[in-house]
Amino acid sequence: MFCFGLFSQSNFSFSGDLQINGQTFQEDLSIGAEKREPNINSYLNLILDYKNYLKIGTRLELYRNPIPGFENYEGEGIAYKFVQFQKWNFDITLGNFYDQFGSGVLFRSYFDQNLGIDNSVNGARLKFKPSTGIDLTAIIGKQRNYWELGEGMIRGFDAQIYVNDYFFKKSRTTINLGGSFVTKKQKDNDPFFILPENVGAWSGRMNISKGRWNFESEYAYKINDPSFTNNYIYKNGNSIKISSVILLMFFSTFYSCEQEEIDGCMNESACNYNNEATNDDNSCQIPINEVLEVIYIDSVVSGPVGEDLIAHVHIRNSSCSPVSVKARKIYNGSVV
Amino acid sequence: MNITKVLIFILFVFNYSIAQKIPSVDIKTLEGKTINTNSFNNEGNPIIISFWALWCKNCIKELEAISEIYEEWQEETGVKLIAISIDDSRNKSKLKPFINSKGWEYDIYHDPNSDFKRALGINQIPHTFLLNGKNEIVSEHIGYTDGQEEDLYEKIKKLFN
């Protein structure tokens, strides 16, 4: 990897960096290793800066063939582009950006090319400091999902207040308060479940420090957001994080407590048994005894020639491994 | 492979660098206040910027090695070391006790979502930059091996010739 500054004058500066990660393969018959195409992941960042208040930047990514673990990134393209304006008390970004609210419980967009993580938001961000001691941030956009954008439209607002800029100015105790609100709007395309199309979440945080003592806490609440990854749980969630540090002369102590109520299935014989669950939410999927149970919703389907016919069939599996069903072409309207 | 050739070509064409200023990015103090990297200032003396994290053993080794001779360096060259932690927010409260236990005299800031790290195109840490009195990057190195701080000190002294 190397960095470069192509030119740098009083007004303009143009800088960037290029990183190439590669793997080549050697044939080795003694261990049965075949010759394969080399793998390359490459990232080229370019940033043009005008007088430190206008920035235009982009990142080109190339994965050909992607290094194992990055398969979903196959191909090349511009993955990141932005225009940023920073002046007076404003900071406006159009395009892709990374940010987080508080400790990142509600919202965090992040990039790490070594981990293959890039969930930058593609949209707009406005940061505004109405006066010293107050930071406001508003965001809108969709997050990157490999070469595409996620379906959910994210809107968020965050406020951070440094209390000591207004009250107790001379006090040795510093107090910072913060709060966030984030919503996700996504169309319900699920054929079976009715999913909430607007999901809201909020959080509040407080940080107090005095001399050698520091206290931090954040509480977050989110309304139900059933999805495949959480086994379609229709339950609101919350989390709290509290940590406190006391510095003594020669050693320091650290207390931290993090508690999250985990909803899930607590029945061990269920397919979706979650051994970390602390609250049973009736989401258990228990396999049935029969080999396969088929429930016809539409036992007879008819329609005019040349048009698509849709038939619904429910199938319950007797094991936890997924079942696959093949549709067969039939003629003359006979049911199979 | 064609693409490889193109990339290697780009590598050679652009493989020179002109003094580059550090980008302006908002980072946090350990008290949680926002500070812009524009405000880094050492009254015309050189600055070392070192990226580290609690989980990065080599970073801590480097910072400890410099810490032992830091006072000497400061007296002779007026250099200042700014250590930027890229730990995520969840580990932020562990920073102060750790720094306290090491007794580091550095200016230490927190880059909670790696904004500054990204702006400088950093991939691996430890990654250390040397800035001249005009806040321009004059050299950088990635990684740390025992005794490498001596090379860095030679580079600092060269700035005064």
Side-chain angles (χ1 to χ4, degrees):
Chain A
M1 195 209 90
F2 76 101
C3 302
F4 53 86
L6 285 184
F7 57 85
S8 179
Q9 292 169 345
S10 54
N11 289 344
F12 281 103
S13 86
F14 182 52
S15 62
D17 63 82
L18 172 68
Q19 186 194 334
I20 303 166
N21 306 330
Q23 287 176 346
T24 57
F25 298 91
Q26 224 71 56
E27 192 175 12
D28 188 345
L29 295 173
S30 61
I31 59 166
E34 299 165 14
K35 188 154 174 54
R36 281 201 277 163
E37 288 284 298
N39 292 340
I40 289 175
N41 286 5
S42 178
Y43 307 84
L44 173 67
N45 282 298
L46 297 169
I47 294 172
L48 183 68
D49 186 320
Y50 177 69
K51 281 185 173 173
N52 251 339
Y53 64 77
L54 189 68
K55 271 185 216 157
I56 299 169
T58 186
R59 181 175 64 245
L60 287 101
E61 294 180 4
L62 177 146
Y63 306 89
R64 194 185 284 183
N65 304 296
I67 285 173
F70 292 79
E71 286 85 357
N72 288 319
Y73 286 103
E74 171 82 62
E76 64 268 299
I78 292 175
Y80 173 81
K81 52 193 181 296
F82 73 93
V83 180
Q84 187 177 19
F85 175 81
Q86 284 170 294
K87 205 163 187 195
W88 305 298
N89 296 329
F90 289 96
D91 178 349
I92 302 162
T93 309
L94 296 174
N96 299 81
F97 59 87
Y98 301 97
D99 208 331
Q100 73 173 25
F101 291 169
S103 61
V105 175
L106 283 198
F107 167 72
R108 186 182 191 193
S109 64
Y110 186 62
F111 172 70
D112 189 324
Q113 68 266 55
N114 298 315
L115 301 175
I117 293 176
D118 182 6
N119 57 357
S120 70
V121 178
N122 191 343
R125 176 181 65 182
L126 171 67
K127 287 184 168 223
F128 177 52
K129 286 180 189 178
S131 72
T132 49
I134 299 179
D135 290 349
L136 303 176
T137 307
I139 58 155
I140 183 166
K142 290 181 172 184
Q143 286 191 288
R144 180 185 182 191
N145 183 20
Y146 301 109
W147 287 113
E148 266 139 38
L149 291 178
E151 282 174 44
M153 175 64 84
I154 296 164
R155 292 175 176 86
F157 178 77
D158 183 77
Q160 172 87 29
I161 298 164
Y162 304 95
V163 176
N164 294 74
D165 286 335
Y166 295 93
F167 308 104
F168 329 114
K169 279 183 186 169
K170 290 192 175 154
S171 166
R172 283 184 62 227
T173 310
T174 53
I175 303 170
N176 302 334
L177 301 173
S180 321
F181 185 70
V182 177
T183 67
K184 182 192 77 176
K185 189 176 182 184
Q186 184 169 345
K187 243 192 146 189
D188 174 15
N189 287 326
D190 196 288
F192 300 115
F193 297 108
I194 296 166
L195 305 177
E197 297 195 339
N198 278 300
V199 175
W202 61 268
S203 80
R205 57 185 186 268
M206 180 169 67
N207 183 357
I208 305 171
S209 64
K210 184 183 181 182
R212 295 173 175 274
W213 177 74
N214 182 50
F215 173 85
E216 270 185 51
S217 64
E218 181 158 17
Y219 176 80
Y221 189 88
K222 186 182 180 186
I223 71 153
N224 66 92
D225 184 15
S227 72
F228 177 75
T229 43
N230 64 14
N231 278 322
Y232 295 100
I233 292 165
Y234 284 83
K235 205 178 175 229
N236 302 341
N238 58 57
S239 98
I240 188 161
K241 184 191 185 233
I242 297 168
S243 75
S244 177
V245 175
I246 304 160
L247 298 178
L248 301 173
M249 207 47 119
F250 297 110
F251 62 95
S252 55
T253 50
F254 174 77
Y255 304 99
S256 177
C257 136
E258 236 172 285
Q259 195 224 327
E260 229 165 307
E261 200 171 276
I262 298 166
D263 295 319
C265 170
M266 294 175 75
N267 185 335
E268 282 184 38
S269 60
C271 296
N272 57 340
Y273 169 64
N274 183 349
N275 61 359
E276 287 175 356
T278 55
N279 181 28
D280 197 296
D281 60 351
N282 300 324
S283 69
C284 292
Q285 295 163 1
I286 300 159
I288 52 163
N289 294 325
E290 290 86 48
V291 176
L292 210 61
E293 186 185 69
V294 182
I295 309 153
Y296 295 99
I297 293 179
D298 312 307
S299 56
V300 180
V301 182
S302 61
V305 178
E307 274 188 24
D308 289 342
L309 295 182
I310 297 165
H312 293 97
V313 181
H314 274 201
I315 294 162
R316 280 178 71 195
N317 199 353
S318 61
S319 80
C320 290
S321 55
V323 62
S324 69
V325 178
K326 261 190 189 165
R328 257 204 294 156
K329 232 179 195 176
I330 50 160
Y331 300 95
N332 304 329
S334 56
V335 179
V336 173
Chain B
M1 234 178 112
N2 264 337
I3 303 246
T4 327
K5 279 177 194 158
V6 170
L7 289 173
I8 288 168
F9 174 74
I10 293 171
L11 193 80
F12 281 112
V13 169
F14 290 137
N15 198 3
Y16 65 92
S17 81
I18 301 165
Q20 186 197 342
K21 288 220 167 190
I22 54 163
S24 91
V25 178
D26 281 345
I27 52 173
K28 300 267 183 187
T29 66
L30 294 180
E31 283 72 39
K33 272 229 151 192
T34 305
I35 176 171
N36 195 287
T37 53
N38 264 340
S39 66
F40 286 173
N41 173 25
N42 192 21
E43 289 155 2
N45 289 318
I47 297 175
I48 302 164
I49 296 180
S50 181
F51 282 80
W52 71 290
L54 290 168
W55 49 262
C56 170
K57 211 164 176 212
N58 265 346
C59 309
I60 291 161
K61 260 170 102 179
E62 179 172 32
L63 290 172
E64 280 202 284
I66 296 174
S67 175
E68 283 174 21
I69 40 172
Y70 188 46
E71 214 173 302
E72 211 174 292
W73 283 20
Q74 279 190 307
E75 275 170 23
E76 285 181 31
T77 60
V79 71
K80 175 158 95 173
L81 193 148
I82 296 173
I84 311 280
S85 154
I86 57 158
D87 285 284
D88 61 20
S89 297
R90 286 183 158 221
N91 290 315
K92 192 194 136 216
S93 49
K94 292 173 193 159
L95 286 172
K96 256 192 168 179
F98 183 83
I99 293 155
N100 185 55
S101 72
K102 296 282 179 198
W104 290 345
E105 302 284 322
Y106 308 135
D107 290 13
I108 297 172
Y109 299 105
H110 185 214
D111 187 16
N113 204 26
S114 298
D115 293 331
F116 192 32
K117 173 183 170 237
R118 233 175 351 255
L120 280 164
I122 291 169
N123 183 23
Q124 304 281 2
I125 56 168
H127 197 133
T128 305
F129 294 86
L130 176 63
L131 273 54
N132 64 15
K134 292 179 211 151
N135 275 16
E136 291 163 347
I137 297 165
V138 287
S139 87
E140 58 183 295
H141 66 263
I142 304 164
Y144 173 74
T145 47
D146 289 335
Q148 206 174 2
E149 68 276 7
E150 294 303 324
D151 297 345
L152 179 63
Y153 191 54
E154 290 304 313
K155 282 177 190 154
I156 298 168
K157 283 203 283 192
K158 260 190 201 162
L159 290 175
F160 293 94
N161 293 340

